[in-house]
mmCIF file of all heavy atoms in Angstrom:
data_model
loop_
_atom_site.group_PDB
_atom_site.id
_atom_site.type_symbol
_atom_site.label_atom_id
_atom_site.label_comp_id
_atom_site.label_asym_id
_atom_site.label_seq_id
_atom_site.Cartn_x
_atom_site.Cartn_y
_atom_site.Cartn_z
ATOM 1 N N ASP A 1 -30.756 -20.866 -77.270
ATOM 2 C CA ASP A 1 -32.079 -20.238 -77.322
ATOM 3 C C ASP A 1 -32.468 -19.650 -75.992
ATOM 4 O O ASP A 1 -33.046 -18.562 -75.880
ATOM 5 C CB ASP A 1 -33.161 -21.270 -77.674
ATOM 6 C CG ASP A 1 -33.041 -21.653 -79.151
ATOM 7 O OD1 ASP A 1 -32.480 -20.910 -79.901
ATOM 8 O OD2 ASP A 1 -33.603 -22.703 -79.525
ATOM 9 N N LYS A 2 -32.138 -20.320 -74.884
ATOM 10 C CA LYS A 2 -32.476 -19.779 -73.560
ATOM 11 C C LYS A 2 -31.753 -18.495 -73.273
ATOM 12 O O LYS A 2 -32.305 -17.608 -72.624
ATOM 13 C CB LYS A 2 -32.095 -20.827 -72.454
ATOM 14 C CG LYS A 2 -33.016 -22.059 -72.494
ATOM 15 C CD LYS A 2 -32.671 -23.047 -71.401
ATOM 16 C CE LYS A 2 -33.614 -24.257 -71.449
ATOM 17 N NZ LYS A 2 -33.229 -25.263 -70.407
ATOM 18 N N VAL A 3 -30.504 -18.418 -73.759
ATOM 19 C CA VAL A 3 -29.799 -17.153 -73.574
ATOM 20 C C VAL A 3 -30.515 -16.080 -74.288
ATOM 21 O O VAL A 3 -30.677 -14.907 -73.781
ATOM 22 C CB VAL A 3 -28.321 -17.275 -74.051
ATOM 23 C CG1 VAL A 3 -27.657 -15.948 -74.058
ATOM 24 C CG2 VAL A 3 -27.604 -18.259 -73.204
ATOM 25 N N ILE A 4 -30.977 -16.303 -75.531
ATOM 26 C CA ILE A 4 -31.632 -15.288 -76.293
ATOM 27 C C ILE A 4 -32.927 -14.853 -75.626
ATOM 28 O O ILE A 4 -33.281 -13.698 -75.696
ATOM 29 C CB ILE A 4 -31.939 -15.836 -77.728
ATOM 30 C CG1 ILE A 4 -30.618 -16.067 -78.500
ATOM 31 C CG2 ILE A 4 -32.845 -14.904 -78.493
ATOM 32 C CD1 ILE A 4 -30.806 -16.754 -79.816
ATOM 33 N N GLU A 5 -33.614 -15.787 -74.959
ATOM 34 C CA GLU A 5 -34.952 -15.515 -74.439
ATOM 35 C C GLU A 5 -34.929 -14.990 -72.997
ATOM 36 O O GLU A 5 -35.895 -15.104 -72.277
ATOM 37 C CB GLU A 5 -35.759 -16.776 -74.535
ATOM 38 C CG GLU A 5 -36.093 -17.219 -75.948
ATOM 39 C CD GLU A 5 -36.651 -18.618 -76.004
ATOM 40 O OE1 GLU A 5 -36.754 -19.270 -74.934
ATOM 41 O OE2 GLU A 5 -36.962 -19.080 -77.114
ATOM 42 N N GLN A 6 -33.839 -14.358 -72.575
ATOM 43 C CA GLN A 6 -33.742 -13.901 -71.217
ATOM 44 C C GLN A 6 -34.549 -12.632 -70.962
ATOM 45 O O GLN A 6 -34.660 -12.179 -69.837
ATOM 46 C CB GLN A 6 -32.291 -13.708 -70.811
ATOM 47 C CG GLN A 6 -31.555 -15.038 -70.602
ATOM 48 C CD GLN A 6 -32.255 -15.974 -69.670
ATOM 49 O OE1 GLN A 6 -32.384 -15.695 -68.471
ATOM 50 N NE2 GLN A 6 -32.790 -17.124 -70.163
ATOM 51 N N VAL A 7 -35.031 -11.993 -71.996
ATOM 52 C CA VAL A 7 -35.913 -10.787 -71.792
ATOM 53 C C VAL A 7 -37.315 -11.274 -71.920
ATOM 54 O O VAL A 7 -37.774 -11.804 -72.964
ATOM 55 C CB VAL A 7 -35.618 -9.713 -72.850
ATOM 56 C CG1 VAL A 7 -36.594 -8.585 -72.742
ATOM 57 C CG2 VAL A 7 -34.178 -9.195 -72.702
ATOM 58 N N ILE A 8 -38.091 -11.104 -70.847
ATOM 59 C CA ILE A 8 -39.488 -11.573 -70.818
ATOM 60 C C ILE A 8 -40.428 -10.358 -70.749
ATOM 61 O O ILE A 8 -40.341 -9.482 -69.886
ATOM 62 C CB ILE A 8 -39.751 -12.437 -69.565
ATOM 63 C CG1 ILE A 8 -38.727 -13.604 -69.514
ATOM 64 C CG2 ILE A 8 -41.175 -12.992 -69.617
ATOM 65 C CD1 ILE A 8 -38.791 -14.397 -68.264
ATOM 66 N N GLN A 9 -41.281 -10.225 -71.772
ATOM 67 C CA GLN A 9 -42.199 -9.112 -71.918
ATOM 68 C C GLN A 9 -43.628 -9.530 -71.586
ATOM 69 O O GLN A 9 -44.154 -10.497 -72.190
ATOM 70 C CB GLN A 9 -42.124 -8.534 -73.301
ATOM 71 C CG GLN A 9 -43.018 -7.279 -73.507
ATOM 72 C CD GLN A 9 -42.295 -6.019 -73.121
ATOM 73 O OE1 GLN A 9 -41.086 -5.907 -73.318
ATOM 74 N NE2 GLN A 9 -43.006 -5.085 -72.608
ATOM 75 N N ILE A 10 -44.287 -8.897 -70.669
ATOM 76 C CA ILE A 10 -45.683 -9.118 -70.343
ATOM 77 C C ILE A 10 -46.395 -7.760 -70.256
ATOM 78 O O ILE A 10 -46.082 -6.962 -69.397
ATOM 79 C CB ILE A 10 -45.848 -9.894 -69.017
ATOM 80 C CG1 ILE A 10 -45.185 -11.280 -69.093
ATOM 81 C CG2 ILE A 10 -47.337 -10.034 -68.705
ATOM 82 C CD1 ILE A 10 -45.233 -12.066 -67.825
ATOM 83 N N ASP A 11 -47.319 -7.518 -71.196
ATOM 84 C CA ASP A 11 -47.943 -6.211 -71.262
ATOM 85 C C ASP A 11 -46.901 -5.078 -71.329
ATOM 86 O O ASP A 11 -46.006 -5.184 -72.159
ATOM 87 C CB ASP A 11 -48.926 -6.047 -70.090
ATOM 88 C CG ASP A 11 -50.019 -7.103 -70.053
ATOM 89 O OD1 ASP A 11 -50.410 -7.552 -71.133
ATOM 90 O OD2 ASP A 11 -50.451 -7.473 -68.974
ATOM 91 N N HIS A 12 -46.957 -4.123 -70.412
ATOM 92 C CA HIS A 12 -46.012 -3.035 -70.392
ATOM 93 C C HIS A 12 -44.834 -3.286 -69.458
ATOM 94 O O HIS A 12 -44.063 -2.424 -69.147
ATOM 95 C CB HIS A 12 -46.686 -1.737 -69.964
ATOM 96 C CG HIS A 12 -47.775 -1.266 -70.932
ATOM 97 N ND1 HIS A 12 -47.672 -1.564 -72.262
ATOM 98 C CD2 HIS A 12 -48.872 -0.561 -70.776
ATOM 99 C CE1 HIS A 12 -48.733 -1.032 -72.872
ATOM 100 N NE2 HIS A 12 -49.463 -0.434 -71.967
ATOM 101 N N LEU A 13 -44.726 -4.548 -69.022
ATOM 102 C CA LEU A 13 -43.625 -4.952 -68.104
ATOM 103 C C LEU A 13 -42.579 -5.729 -68.839
ATOM 104 O O LEU A 13 -42.883 -6.580 -69.635
ATOM 105 C CB LEU A 13 -44.176 -5.769 -66.901
ATOM 106 C CG LEU A 13 -45.359 -5.144 -66.135
ATOM 107 C CD1 LEU A 13 -45.762 -6.076 -65.016
ATOM 108 C CD2 LEU A 13 -44.932 -3.802 -65.519
ATOM 109 N N GLN A 14 -41.330 -5.467 -68.482
ATOM 110 C CA GLN A 14 -40.231 -6.217 -69.120
ATOM 111 C C GLN A 14 -39.189 -6.597 -68.064
ATOM 112 O O GLN A 14 -38.701 -5.748 -67.333
ATOM 113 C CB GLN A 14 -39.561 -5.357 -70.197
ATOM 114 C CG GLN A 14 -38.482 -6.091 -70.982
ATOM 115 C CD GLN A 14 -37.755 -5.173 -71.958
ATOM 116 O OE1 GLN A 14 -36.701 -4.633 -71.656
ATOM 117 N NE2 GLN A 14 -38.347 -5.004 -73.129
ATOM 118 N N LEU A 15 -38.897 -7.841 -67.997
ATOM 119 C CA LEU A 15 -37.906 -8.363 -67.061
ATOM 120 C C LEU A 15 -36.692 -8.878 -67.808
ATOM 121 O O LEU A 15 -36.848 -9.773 -68.678
ATOM 122 C CB LEU A 15 -38.510 -9.473 -66.172
ATOM 123 C CG LEU A 15 -37.589 -9.986 -65.051
ATOM 124 C CD1 LEU A 15 -38.368 -10.162 -63.769
ATOM 125 C CD2 LEU A 15 -37.015 -11.369 -65.451
ATOM 126 N N ASN A 16 -35.520 -8.333 -67.530
ATOM 127 C CA ASN A 16 -34.294 -8.810 -68.167
ATOM 128 C C ASN A 16 -33.478 -9.586 -67.140
ATOM 129 O O ASN A 16 -32.954 -9.060 -66.186
ATOM 130 C CB ASN A 16 -33.458 -7.598 -68.660
ATOM 131 C CG ASN A 16 -32.328 -8.040 -69.554
ATOM 132 O OD1 ASN A 16 -31.552 -8.884 -69.179
ATOM 133 N ND2 ASN A 16 -32.205 -7.394 -70.708
ATOM 134 N N VAL A 17 -33.436 -10.923 -67.321
ATOM 135 C CA VAL A 17 -32.830 -11.812 -66.394
ATOM 136 C C VAL A 17 -31.327 -11.597 -66.286
ATOM 137 O O VAL A 17 -30.779 -11.638 -65.222
ATOM 138 C CB VAL A 17 -33.184 -13.280 -66.746
ATOM 139 C CG1 VAL A 17 -32.441 -14.242 -65.773
ATOM 140 C CG2 VAL A 17 -34.674 -13.552 -66.726
ATOM 141 N N ASP A 18 -30.672 -11.381 -67.424
ATOM 142 C CA ASP A 18 -29.205 -11.282 -67.435
ATOM 143 C C ASP A 18 -28.730 -10.021 -66.697
ATOM 144 O O ASP A 18 -27.865 -10.117 -65.853
ATOM 145 C CB ASP A 18 -28.697 -11.226 -68.905
ATOM 146 C CG ASP A 18 -28.894 -12.545 -69.603
ATOM 147 O OD1 ASP A 18 -28.863 -13.593 -68.945
ATOM 148 O OD2 ASP A 18 -29.194 -12.534 -70.806
ATOM 149 N N SER A 19 -29.308 -8.869 -67.012
ATOM 150 C CA SER A 19 -28.823 -7.620 -66.399
ATOM 151 C C SER A 19 -29.579 -7.347 -65.101
ATOM 152 O O SER A 19 -29.264 -6.394 -64.417
ATOM 153 C CB SER A 19 -29.034 -6.423 -67.343
ATOM 154 O OG SER A 19 -30.390 -6.296 -67.658
ATOM 155 N N ARG A 20 -30.593 -8.179 -64.765
ATOM 156 C CA ARG A 20 -31.384 -8.044 -63.545
ATOM 157 C C ARG A 20 -32.051 -6.647 -63.503
ATOM 158 O O ARG A 20 -31.998 -5.966 -62.423
ATOM 159 C CB ARG A 20 -30.561 -8.326 -62.292
ATOM 160 C CG ARG A 20 -29.862 -9.674 -62.322
ATOM 161 C CD ARG A 20 -29.252 -10.090 -61.030
ATOM 162 N NE ARG A 20 -30.251 -10.616 -60.133
ATOM 163 C CZ ARG A 20 -30.861 -11.818 -60.190
ATOM 164 N NH1 ARG A 20 -30.503 -12.608 -61.225
ATOM 165 N NH2 ARG A 20 -31.731 -12.221 -59.333
ATOM 166 N N VAL A 21 -32.597 -6.272 -64.627
ATOM 167 C CA VAL A 21 -33.262 -4.959 -64.732
ATOM 168 C C VAL A 21 -34.755 -5.221 -65.023
ATOM 169 O O VAL A 21 -35.140 -6.078 -65.803
ATOM 170 C CB VAL A 21 -32.675 -4.117 -65.904
ATOM 171 C CG1 VAL A 21 -33.528 -2.909 -66.186
ATOM 172 C CG2 VAL A 21 -31.260 -3.720 -65.527
ATOM 173 N N PHE A 22 -35.618 -4.420 -64.337
ATOM 174 C CA PHE A 22 -37.045 -4.534 -64.524
ATOM 175 C C PHE A 22 -37.588 -3.197 -65.057
ATOM 176 O O PHE A 22 -37.270 -2.165 -64.441
ATOM 177 C CB PHE A 22 -37.752 -4.933 -63.231
ATOM 178 C CG PHE A 22 -39.206 -5.209 -63.406
ATOM 179 C CD1 PHE A 22 -39.667 -6.425 -63.880
ATOM 180 C CD2 PHE A 22 -40.152 -4.224 -63.094
ATOM 181 C CE1 PHE A 22 -41.006 -6.692 -64.015
ATOM 182 C CE2 PHE A 22 -41.525 -4.482 -63.250
ATOM 183 C CZ PHE A 22 -41.934 -5.731 -63.700
ATOM 184 N N LEU A 23 -38.348 -3.242 -66.138
ATOM 185 C CA LEU A 23 -38.837 -1.991 -66.735
ATOM 186 C C LEU A 23 -40.371 -1.932 -66.752
ATOM 187 O O LEU A 23 -41.027 -2.976 -66.970
ATOM 188 C CB LEU A 23 -38.399 -1.869 -68.181
ATOM 189 C CG LEU A 23 -36.853 -1.931 -68.449
ATOM 190 C CD1 LEU A 23 -36.597 -1.851 -69.924
ATOM 191 C CD2 LEU A 23 -36.165 -0.784 -67.751
ATOM 192 N N TYR A 24 -40.943 -0.789 -66.455
ATOM 193 C CA TYR A 24 -42.352 -0.531 -66.594
ATOM 194 C C TYR A 24 -42.553 0.615 -67.587
ATOM 195 O O TYR A 24 -42.053 1.707 -67.390
ATOM 196 C CB TYR A 24 -42.984 -0.153 -65.251
ATOM 197 C CG TYR A 24 -44.477 0.042 -65.291
ATOM 198 C CD1 TYR A 24 -45.300 -1.018 -64.867
ATOM 199 C CD2 TYR A 24 -45.063 1.199 -65.767
ATOM 200 C CE1 TYR A 24 -46.698 -0.849 -64.920
ATOM 201 C CE2 TYR A 24 -46.440 1.338 -65.820
ATOM 202 C CZ TYR A 24 -47.259 0.343 -65.395
ATOM 203 O OH TYR A 24 -48.620 0.430 -65.467
ATOM 204 N N ASN A 25 -43.210 0.302 -68.721
ATOM 205 C CA ASN A 25 -43.309 1.308 -69.794
ATOM 206 C C ASN A 25 -41.924 1.865 -70.165
ATOM 207 O O ASN A 25 -41.741 3.061 -70.345
ATOM 208 C CB ASN A 25 -44.224 2.443 -69.413
ATOM 209 C CG ASN A 25 -45.710 2.080 -69.545
ATOM 210 O OD1 ASN A 25 -46.049 1.200 -70.327
ATOM 211 N ND2 ASN A 25 -46.551 2.765 -68.802
ATOM 212 N N ASN A 26 -40.938 0.967 -70.250
ATOM 213 C CA ASN A 26 -39.574 1.277 -70.655
ATOM 214 C C ASN A 26 -38.821 2.124 -69.643
ATOM 215 O O ASN A 26 -37.718 2.639 -69.954
ATOM 216 C CB ASN A 26 -39.540 1.964 -72.009
ATOM 217 C CG ASN A 26 -40.026 1.068 -73.144
ATOM 218 O OD1 ASN A 26 -39.693 -0.101 -73.174
ATOM 219 N ND2 ASN A 26 -40.801 1.629 -74.061
ATOM 220 N N GLU A 27 -39.370 2.277 -68.462
ATOM 221 C CA GLU A 27 -38.661 3.007 -67.400
ATOM 222 C C GLU A 27 -38.235 1.995 -66.332
ATOM 223 O O GLU A 27 -39.075 1.204 -65.881
ATOM 224 C CB GLU A 27 -39.518 4.114 -66.810
ATOM 225 C CG GLU A 27 -39.835 5.222 -67.772
ATOM 226 C CD GLU A 27 -40.543 6.393 -67.109
ATOM 227 O OE1 GLU A 27 -40.704 6.384 -65.870
ATOM 228 O OE2 GLU A 27 -40.979 7.317 -67.837
ATOM 229 N N GLU A 28 -36.996 2.068 -65.882
ATOM 230 C CA GLU A 28 -36.512 1.132 -64.874
ATOM 231 C C GLU A 28 -37.180 1.314 -63.503
ATOM 232 O O GLU A 28 -37.356 2.430 -63.033
ATOM 233 C CB GLU A 28 -34.971 1.304 -64.747
ATOM 234 C CG GLU A 28 -34.370 0.220 -63.819
ATOM 235 C CD GLU A 28 -32.835 0.281 -63.846
ATOM 236 O OE1 GLU A 28 -32.291 0.933 -64.823
ATOM 237 O OE2 GLU A 28 -32.228 -0.344 -62.978
ATOM 238 N N VAL A 29 -37.541 0.194 -62.945
ATOM 239 C CA VAL A 29 -38.148 0.186 -61.603
ATOM 240 C C VAL A 29 -37.085 -0.297 -60.594
ATOM 241 O O VAL A 29 -36.436 -1.309 -60.817
ATOM 242 C CB VAL A 29 -39.369 -0.795 -61.547
ATOM 243 C CG1 VAL A 29 -39.934 -0.854 -60.148
ATOM 244 C CG2 VAL A 29 -40.425 -0.342 -62.560
ATOM 245 N N ASP A 30 -36.986 0.465 -59.555
ATOM 246 C CA ASP A 30 -35.960 0.118 -58.500
ATOM 247 C C ASP A 30 -36.492 -1.055 -57.643
ATOM 248 O O ASP A 30 -37.511 -0.896 -57.005
ATOM 249 C CB ASP A 30 -35.648 1.373 -57.638
ATOM 250 C CG ASP A 30 -34.533 1.101 -56.668
ATOM 251 O OD1 ASP A 30 -33.687 0.265 -56.959
ATOM 252 O OD2 ASP A 30 -34.527 1.730 -55.583
ATOM 253 N N LEU A 31 -35.756 -2.129 -57.682
ATOM 254 C CA LEU A 31 -36.151 -3.326 -56.929
ATOM 255 C C LEU A 31 -35.009 -3.791 -56.045
ATOM 256 O O LEU A 31 -33.865 -3.705 -56.374
ATOM 257 C CB LEU A 31 -36.546 -4.475 -57.897
ATOM 258 C CG LEU A 31 -37.704 -4.273 -58.784
ATOM 259 C CD1 LEU A 31 -37.783 -5.423 -59.802
ATOM 260 C CD2 LEU A 31 -38.988 -4.142 -58.059
ATOM 261 N N THR A 32 -35.407 -4.345 -54.859
ATOM 262 C CA THR A 32 -34.407 -4.992 -54.004
ATOM 263 C C THR A 32 -34.126 -6.394 -54.584
ATOM 264 O O THR A 32 -34.821 -6.836 -55.522
ATOM 265 C CB THR A 32 -34.948 -5.164 -52.584
ATOM 266 O OG1 THR A 32 -36.039 -6.097 -52.588
ATOM 267 C CG2 THR A 32 -35.364 -3.839 -51.977
ATOM 268 N N LYS A 33 -33.096 -7.025 -54.102
ATOM 269 C CA LYS A 33 -32.723 -8.336 -54.555
ATOM 270 C C LYS A 33 -33.929 -9.312 -54.473
ATOM 271 O O LYS A 33 -34.229 -10.041 -55.431
ATOM 272 C CB LYS A 33 -31.586 -8.907 -53.764
ATOM 273 C CG LYS A 33 -31.179 -10.342 -54.141
ATOM 274 C CD LYS A 33 -30.108 -10.866 -53.231
ATOM 275 C CE LYS A 33 -29.863 -12.370 -53.459
ATOM 276 N NZ LYS A 33 -28.864 -12.921 -52.530
#
């Protein structure tokens, strides 16, 4: 279940823990480590 739930959605923000990608309105935001 934890593996399935690695994508966390809050409002228009989405954090993908596995791929370490962060999206704002479905557009990737460039983040440092």
Side-chain angles (χ1 to χ4, degrees):
D1 287 341
K2 288 180 180 178
V3 172
I4 293 173
E5 294 168 357
Q6 288 306 294
V7 175
I8 306 172
Q9 182 86 35
I10 298 177
D11 299 328
H12 296 331
L13 306 179
Q14 184 185 98
L15 183 138
N16 192 308
V17 177
D18 293 326
S19 61
R20 307 192 77 76
V21 169
F22 186 81
L23 303 176
Y24 185 98
N25 281 334
N26 295 319
E27 292 187 7
E28 186 172 344
V29 177
D30 186 26
L31 297 172
T32 66
K33 175 187 174 183

